[in-house]
Amino acid sequence: MLTHLHACLQYRRSRPVRYVVAAFTAIFVVSTLYYLEIPHHPEGFQDELREHLPHWPLPIPISGGSESKTSPPVWEERAAQVKQAFLHAYRGYLQHANGYDELRPLSLAGVNNFNGWNVTMYDSLDTMLLMDLWDEFAEALPVVKEGNFRQLRASNGNGWNKSGYVPFFETVIRYLGGLLAAYAMSGEQVLLDRAHELATILEPAFGSSAGMPRFGVNPATGASSQGVSGVLAEVASCQLEWTYVAHATGNKTHFDRVDKLLHTLANAMEQRKGGMFPTHWHLNGGKATSESRSMGAAADSGHEYLLKQYLLTGKQDVESLEMYILTANEALTRLLYLTPNRELLYVTDTAGGSFTASHNFEHLACFFPGLLALGAHTVDLNAALAAIDPSKLSAEARRQYEVLSKYDLHALHMAAAEGLTTSCWLMYADQPSGLGPETVQMRHDWKFVGEDGKPKVNSKGKLWIDAVEEWNEGGRRGPLPGLGEKKTITQLRKEDGTAQADYSVRRPDYFLRPETLESIYLMWRTTGNPVWRERGWQIFQAIEREAKTPSGYASVKQINKSPAPQSDEQPSYFLAETLKYLYLLFKNEDLVPLDKWVFNTEAHPLPVFNWSSWEKHKFGIPS
Ligand code: DMJ
């Protein structure tokens, strides 16, 4: 499909000169109007623009004020506080849970829930390097060197270890990703050797006919689990790790594994003719077994890795980029909704073939706005969309393509990123604890007056893209739907005691998750708007206030209370992701430039590279 780009560009060049002149004039006029902040245009102006412009431009949204109230030394001091928080969590783990996977921060014990291989240590290695914690890193290296990946330690946590298998997905993103990132940042050969060994132990998981990884591997025998179904997040979130381990070791078996999986995904996309990948898959057939869509649990990183695979390989893997664009097309046109009160933008999921939205909004899905911002920052989205041949798409994917072709895709993705990150942040800012819930049910009952003059309710909810279309066609009055100033529910109730929340909390836990901070960090890096740093600072203060214990940090059971009741868990991703994104958000120096590094889904940065001529020859990569 991507070869269509050249034909497309050719077509544009052959247009009559007067169209080109008209287009430039129109661009000049519309940009001038935006800079002058003229709110609407004369009658017929938009139709004229639509005729001449390849993309319908949107103003680049800016959230809140763009003046920083906080000085650079204060941000450095805040970063230092995050470093202390990391040390507090890691020292608590070493003191009370050394040799175990994670710390139980209330009972001060260890838990083995991820193979019993010290997952917190592996997940923390690159955070130590970023924070200049050399002693901690040096002390961890011998433990990593001696770890026994063939022995699954008895679990006293969840049921994974009891199955006799190491869970492929979790082992890849936490252990393998942790080893590879720490190797890339330190150059310590032992880390790469261990990564190669671990990847080799896990490779029987790729034994399904389509090369989609199975649930797990028995590391002692090499046998893999035999189940034939899997969820998108677990079958399509290892491409980065396998690509990088193949590059770093020169091992062709590692390359062949990821190559086969990438072909399976590209074939599935071609057969499906566009759209998002559904949540459930048959591993042997390499085909989806449901039509459910989600950006949250069961799917999240499966979508994330499409863009990131393209970025990691120096933008050479164009099939992954095309899959990302087709995914974003469907998400933006079918999964993004607005609430009636504050017009909060949210991303939800749909079940079965009916595409009925649940209107659930998951904390896990709050990674998506950051992904959109990353894509808009690093990719020419308009060219990527234009490179797709719409005649090869299904009717529904073509409809999505046509709706979005009218817009400047960069501006539209950034607008969605801003609106969604704002909602994710408000989920925290609305709570007495200042921490965000695991799942909420968003209100979707839009009241309106029917043609008969009677009040009516649209209970199906309002799709964001429909609201954007109305806004466009109505002369773009006011902020783009889902953007503009949003007040917290406390602020609103001070003004109007009867103000209603836009959602009800379904799961009130905060599991020390990173997704909202990940998006806040990416919004800061891609827009330079300091409002995101300030919001991140509010969240860090809430973590310190509500989740800190004498020997670590604990997940919170009820975000709607302060002090919030805690639960006896300190997940390893808190050290790998949550504290890392906070630290990077507050550091003035850009320690992980987005054009040079790609974060895996556990926030382990892998360096961008280009396949060398020798690698292309050896691995059989077409030039
Ligand atoms: C992490 O292990 C990863 O970010 C994963 O992709 C999703 N869930 C957790 C954190 O919430």
Side-chain angles (χ1 to χ4, degrees), residues 52 68 112 187 258 263 417 430-431 472 474 481 485:
H52 295 301
S68 181
N112 279 333
V258 63
H263 276 105
D430 277 352
Q431 313 305 331
N472 234 351
E485 197 199 351

Side-chain angles (χ1 to χ4, degrees), residues 375-531:
H377 186 69
T378 51
V379 175
D380 182 343
L381 296 174
N382 293 315
L385 187 73
I388 293 171
D389 179 353
S391 72
K392 295 195 175 155
L393 301 178
S394 69
E396 171 53 30
R398 196 158 55 243
R399 182 192 71 81
Q400 296 158 13
Y401 173 97
E402 280 161 8
V403 169
L404 296 176
S405 297
K406 288 186 293 191
Y407 296 92
D408 173 353
L409 217 54
H410 170 86
L412 198 72
H413 280 217
M414 282 310 291
E418 177 182 327
L420 288 170
T421 313
T422 302
S423 302
C424 292
W425 161 71
L426 274 170
M427 297 295 110
Y428 285 63
D430 277 352
Q431 313 305 331
S433 66
L435 296 172
E438 177 72 353
T439 318
V440 294
Q441 165 83 27
M442 304 303 272
R443 277 190 57 186
H444 45 93
D445 51 331
W446 280 79
K447 298 186 176 64
F448 65 101
V449 179
E451 282 175 11
D452 55 4
K454 293 191 178 147
K456 301 255 166 19
V457 178
N458 163 15
S459 55
K460 287 192 172 165
K462 185 178 271 193
L463 276 169
W464 179 64
I465 198 69
D466 291 347
V468 171
E469 295 270 79
E470 282 167 28
W471 174 85
N472 234 351
E473 273 144 30
R476 300 179 176 199
R477 292 185 184 90
L480 191 141
L483 305 189
E485 197 199 351
K486 305 284 178 204
K487 293 182 179 168
T488 65
I489 200 68
T490 318
Q491 287 167 329
L492 282 176
R493 283 186 182 146
K494 270 189 195 148
E495 292 165 14
D496 169 5
T498 64
Q500 296 279 310
D502 299 76
Y503 55 87
S504 53
V505 174
R506 297 195 81 179
R507 284 203 71 181
D509 318 71
Y510 172 58
F511 293 115
L512 297 173
R513 288 196 190 279
E515 291 79 14
T516 294
L517 288 163
E518 173 180 353
S519 286
I520 284 178
Y521 167 67
L522 288 164
M523 287 304 290
W524 156 242
R525 278 285 158 220
T526 56
T527 67
N529 188 339
V531 74

Side-chain angles (χ1 to χ4, degrees), residues 169 173-174 300-301 364 513-515 573 577 601-602:
F169 167 73
I173 67 168
R174 299 184 194 223
D300 46 12
S301 47
L364 284 169
R513 288 196 190 279
E515 291 79 14
Y573 58 68
E577 300 190 69
T601 191
E602 189 81 356

